[in-house]
Amino acid sequence: MSTMEQTTEHEETGARRRDFLFVAAGGFGVVAAGAAVWPLVDQMNPSADVLALSSIEVDLAPIAVGQAIKVKWRGKPVYIRRRTPAEIAAARDFPTADLPDAQSDEERVKAGHDEWLVVIGVCTHLGCIPIDYQGDYDGWYCPCHGSHYDTSGRIRKGPAPKNLAVPEYTFINDFRIKIG
Amino acid sequence: MTAPSRPFEPKNGFVKWFDQQLPIFTLLHGALVAYPTPKNLNYWWSFGFLAGILLFVQIITGVVLAMHYTPHALMAFDSVEHIMRDVNYGWLLRYVHSNGAAFFFIVVYIHMFRGLYYGSYKGPREVLWMLGLVIFLLMMATAFMGYVLPWGQMSFWAATVITNLFGAIPLVGDAIVSLLWGGFAVDNPTLNRFFSLHYVLPFVIFGVVILHIWALHIPGSNNPLGIDVKGPQDQVDFHPYHVVKDTFMTSVMAIIFFAFVFYAPNYMGHPDNYIPADPMVTPAHIVPDWYFLPFYAILRSVPDVTIFGFTLIEAKLAGIMAMAASLLLLFALPWLDRSPVRSGTFRPIFKLLFWVLVVDVVILGIVGAKVPDDIAITIGEGGISWLIVGQLTTIYYFGFFLVALPLLAKFEKTKPLPESISEAILSRNAKA
Ligand code: HEM
Ligand code: FES
């Protein structure tokens, strides 16, 4: 049959062209599928209004030495603690290198504002809210699986792997901070 | 398909006409009437039927609850109270749905242990077994998300702890958690998507159940002796034998079920879930729903994995891997246990270890509800903590599947199998 002969004749060039078309069409299909799936996945990420709510200002004046308050930021509690000299000393006297998540107290506060400790009140184990002025180190204690944090919010004992996170914040003046 | 024991011969003219164009009546007749089953099925074979009934109950009560429920962080808790107090029979519908979920798990756990004991996962039923596991995983996801909907303290903190588990995945963990939450913490977007998924997953389950039954009807049911059917003398039809037997079992279950619904509707729940969700305060002691407790215990039992004082895998990740493994290894069960004898009745050592496993899983469930550092068994001053009990029972769980089953397949001396199902029944009757 003539058609048969034709195919054999053009086999080499024809096949190459087919390969190209096949790969091009396949590649295009994969990109198209990705483009269709991504919006379906990304819609689950935080939406613009959720992201917009991300900074707050807090007045520190009412907080006495030896007292802590809890404010809500991005749907999570943030502890702001005005530490006593003894609490600061307790945090600084312990050798940093011996901590599970080595970080000095100085790194966790703003220079010149050493009495103020600002930490996110979310246990780094599985996200429970630790209770302040509790536990073996009088910092925080997480009731869920027993993590103990010190007066710098650093993990000292228990299953949590990391120190309580310090959020991004700045001092607007000595008694006012902006978180976020 | 196992051929129906007798052909479908409709007398009704409409049925006949319809069935010629779409043979759905023939299909149902073959599946529910003339489906030949082994003569010797015992009551443990009713639990699949019971699970089907409960899926139906969950879907019906769920759809009507959704007519009154509001999936919003500010309104969800109140809308559930509205269901309880204002909606006509709302309390009944909600209690049937929440206790229905618990009973669904009891029934499915029994169904699975039945399969394990009688070797129903072995060829030619591996696909059937694996489809069952898919249903089980989907059920767990559905029930977890359903538990979040009332937006009480337990709902909220269970959602927080479980979603945080994904944060342990290296590199992409945090991105995944934020994707699941739709925010910086469990909040309204999380509740809203959980409701959407909780609504749709049961219908996905329904679809997989159809496949599960299809896969069952190809080889037909296994049986307590675990030997193959030799011919019609070994079989009886589904109708009327199992229709009657399963209806009886449904009644028994209904009596126990409604005893809970009417007299102890919150027995299997947690009182803290009647406190509205508060993202600023964690309850002193949080636990998942009871049917997840054995897996939760495995999760918490695993310590840091270290080599020469160097931490290879942090406890958090290792725990998740162990929990995932405890579920996923069930998919490998047909290949872990290569013993040619199906039924535990003829496998003395397997039988013993099986019952130890049942007790082991119950203990794991108890451990999951306890504070790990509390003392379980007091010895003098100190004692053995729940953590240690959890670790020992976790080791047995994995040991049973990964060590004992492969070894037993090689070394166990099994008892002689009967000639056929009908021969076994006749000789037992003769003895009696
Ligand atoms: C596989 C089947 C299902 C399971 C295992 C299941 C499980 C659950 C559980 C454990 C709860 C929490 C109960 C409580 O604490 O009060 C719940 C709540 C709820 N479910 Fe389901 N469910 C299923 C099917 C459905 C379906 C099909 C729908 C709707 C289409 C639905 C709608 C709801 C609603 C609206 C709630 C919240 C009201 C409440 O708290 O009682 N469920 N479900
Ligand atoms: S969540 Fe804090 S110790 Fe587990």
Side-chain angles (χ1 to χ4, degrees):
Chain A
M1 257 206 297
S2 60
T3 41
M4 279 273 262
E5 274 158 34
Q6 252 179 6
T7 346
T8 7
E9 215 174 289
H10 290 277
E11 204 174 69
E12 231 156 296
T13 48
R16 256 190 246 141
R17 198 160 114 163
R18 282 216 170 171
D19 285 349
F20 172 76
L21 286 175
F22 183 75
V23 171
F28 198 78
V30 168
V31 171
V37 167
W38 179 242
L40 292 173
V41 173
D42 193 40
Q43 55 81 22
M44 286 179 59
N45 273 317
S47 55
D49 61 322
V50 171
L51 292 170
L53 285 176
S54 43
S55 80
I56 55 164
E57 283 187 23
V58 188
D59 178 15
L60 305 183
I63 309 170
V65 175
Q67 201 188 17
I69 63 161
K70 192 157 66 161
V71 295
K72 197 168 169 183
W73 176 66
R74 293 181 171 180
K76 298 175 188 176
V78 169
Y79 281 107
I80 304 174
R81 179 157 167 170
R82 189 168 182 182
R83 300 182 297 173
T84 62
E87 285 174 342
I88 300 172
R92 298 197 170 174
D93 288 349
F94 191 78
T96 305
D98 295 353
L99 292 163
D101 179 12
Q103 211 181 16
S104 70
D105 185 57
E106 287 85 347
E107 288 171 67
R108 296 175 56 79
V109 296
K110 302 278 177 209
H113 301 281
D114 300 51
E115 57 176 10
W116 296 102
L117 178 71
V118 181
V119 288
I120 297 179
V122 173
C123 182
T124 57
H125 182 226
L126 292 175
C128 292
I129 313 286
I131 305 162
D132 52 357
Y133 297 104
Q134 300 276 322
D136 294 357
Y137 306 91
D138 283 329
W140 282 266
Y141 173 70
C142 181
C144 287
H145 318 95
S147 290
H148 300 256
Y149 298 89
D150 66 10
T151 52
S152 188
R154 294 173 302 192
I155 181 68
R156 296 287 280 273
K157 203 170 112 182
K162 296 238 150 49
N163 302 332
L164 292 179
V166 176
E168 243 177 76
Y169 70 98
T170 45
F171 275 87
I172 297 173
N173 58 45
D174 276 355
F175 285 100
R176 202 167 179 82
I177 57 169
K178 181 169 173 232
I179 308 177
Chain B
M1 293 276 238
T2 23
S5 59
R6 56 203 138 92
F8 180 53
E9 282 152 355
K11 295 193 183 66
N12 183 304
F14 170 80
V15 173
K16 208 170 189 165
W17 164 78
F18 193 93
D19 201 65
Q20 263 163 7
Q21 304 191 6
L22 182 69
I24 193 154
F25 294 103
T26 300
L27 187 82
L28 290 175
H29 179 264
L32 294 173
V33 180
Y35 171 60
T37 57
K39 257 179 178 174
N40 57 339
L41 297 190
N42 57 30
Y43 279 116
W44 300 115
W45 262 261
S46 288
F47 283 81
F49 188 89
L50 297 184
I53 298 274
L54 285 168
L55 177 62
F56 184 72
V57 168
Q58 288 308 94
I59 289 180
I60 299 291
T61 52
V63 168
V64 292
L65 282 173
M67 294 180 187
H68 305 280
Y69 169 81
T70 314
H72 189 285
L74 297 177
M75 290 177 274
F77 187 86
D78 290 346
S79 77
V80 172
E81 284 310 299
H82 158 75
I83 291 172
M84 294 298 290
R85 293 154 198 249
D86 306 333
V87 175
N88 299 332
Y89 294 105
W91 57 272
L92 177 65
L93 297 167
R94 173 159 185 256
Y95 281 155
V96 167
H97 195 76
S98 59
N99 286 285
F103 267 66
F104 202 173
F105 276 93
I106 298 175
V107 163
V108 165
Y109 280 137
I110 294 176
H111 188 64
M112 291 168 73
F113 272 120
R114 185 284 316 261
L116 184 59
Y117 182 83
Y118 293 112
S120 298
Y121 48 87
K122 291 184 190 178
R125 297 183 184 82
E126 297 97 328
V127 170
L128 171 61
W129 170 256
M130 290 193 279
L131 285 169
L133 292 174
V134 170
I135 296 172
F136 179 54
L137 295 180
L138 288 169
M139 271 177 72
M140 300 225 276
T142 306
F144 163 65
M145 289 191 271
Y147 192 55
V148 175
L149 302 184
W151 211 237
Q153 274 291 66
M154 277 300 154
S155 299
F156 184 89
W157 291 102
T160 299
V161 168
I162 301 298
T163 49
N164 262 305
L165 291 176
F166 291 90
I169 300 170
L171 305 178
V172 291
D174 288 339
I176 292 180
V177 172
S178 159
L179 184 85
L180 291 174
W181 288 342
F184 303 108
V186 172
D187 207 334
N188 190 53
T190 327
L191 173 60
N192 214 158
R193 67 191 53 183
F194 277 18
F195 178 61
S196 168
L197 294 172
H198 182 72
Y199 203 131
V200 77
L201 282 185
F203 297 91
V204 178
I205 294 177
F206 185 80
V208 186
V209 167
I210 300 286
L211 296 182
H212 186 72
I213 296 174
W214 187 5
L216 168 69
H217 286 195
I218 304 283
S221 300
N222 182 29
N223 65 80
L225 295 173
I227 55 177
D228 290 334
V229 165
K230 293 258 160 67
Q233 73 280 5
D234 286 344
Q235 292 171 311
V236 293
D237 278 357
F238 193 81
H239 182 75
Y241 297 96
H242 289 289
V243 171
V244 170
K245 195 167 176 171
D246 290 346
T247 308
F248 170 72
M249 280 300 269
T250 306
S251 316
V252 172
M253 177 177 76
I255 291 170
I256 306 170
F257 178 66
F258 285 108
F260 272 95
V261 168
F262 291 124
Y263 296 103
N266 290 306
Y267 183 76
M268 293 185 276
H270 196 290
D272 277 12
N273 223 23
Y274 284 103
I275 303 170
D278 182 353
M280 304 289 275
V281 182
T282 309
H285 181 44
I286 56 170
V287 280
D289 254 2
W290 68 264
Y291 35 81
F292 294 134
L293 289 174
F295 301 103
Y296 190 58
I298 291 177
L299 170 90
R300 292 194 308 184
S301 294
V302 185
D304 283 340
V305 179
T306 53
I307 290 186
F308 307 125
F310 175 74
T311 307
L312 266 187
I313 313 172
E314 260 172 16
K316 191 168 148 187
L317 181 59
I320 297 165
M321 287 164 60
M323 184 174 73
S326 69
L327 289 165
L328 294 181
L329 66 75
L330 297 175
F331 281 93
L333 185 55
W335 295 274
L336 289 169
D337 175 9
R338 302 304 298 265
S339 167
V341 177
R342 290 198 192 97
S343 174
T345 311
F346 304 103
R347 304 183 59 190
I349 306 175
F350 171 87
K351 188 174 176 171
L352 178 72
L353 297 185
F354 167 87
W355 286 111
V356 176
L357 181 76
V358 174
V359 175
D360 184 77
V361 170
V362 172
I363 297 176
L364 274 172
I366 297 170
V367 173
K370 300 287 180 187
V371 179
D373 291 336
D374 282 0
I375 298 299
I377 305 158
T378 334
I379 305 166
E381 288 292 285
I384 299 173
S385 70
W386 287 107
L387 181 68
I388 303 290
V389 178
Q391 288 174 339
L392 293 176
T393 39
T394 299
I395 290 170
Y396 184 81
Y397 182 93
F398 283 102
F400 176 85
F401 289 104
L402 298 178
V403 181
L405 287 186
L407 288 181
L408 285 183
K410 282 214 172 74
F411 300 113
E412 186 178 29
K413 232 177 106 57
T414 56
K415 292 194 208 158
L417 294 174
E419 212 43 50
S420 74
I421 293 173
S422 52
E423 183 249 20
I425 294 171
L426 290 178
S427 68
R428 195 176 62 193
N429 288 353
K431 255 186 249 159

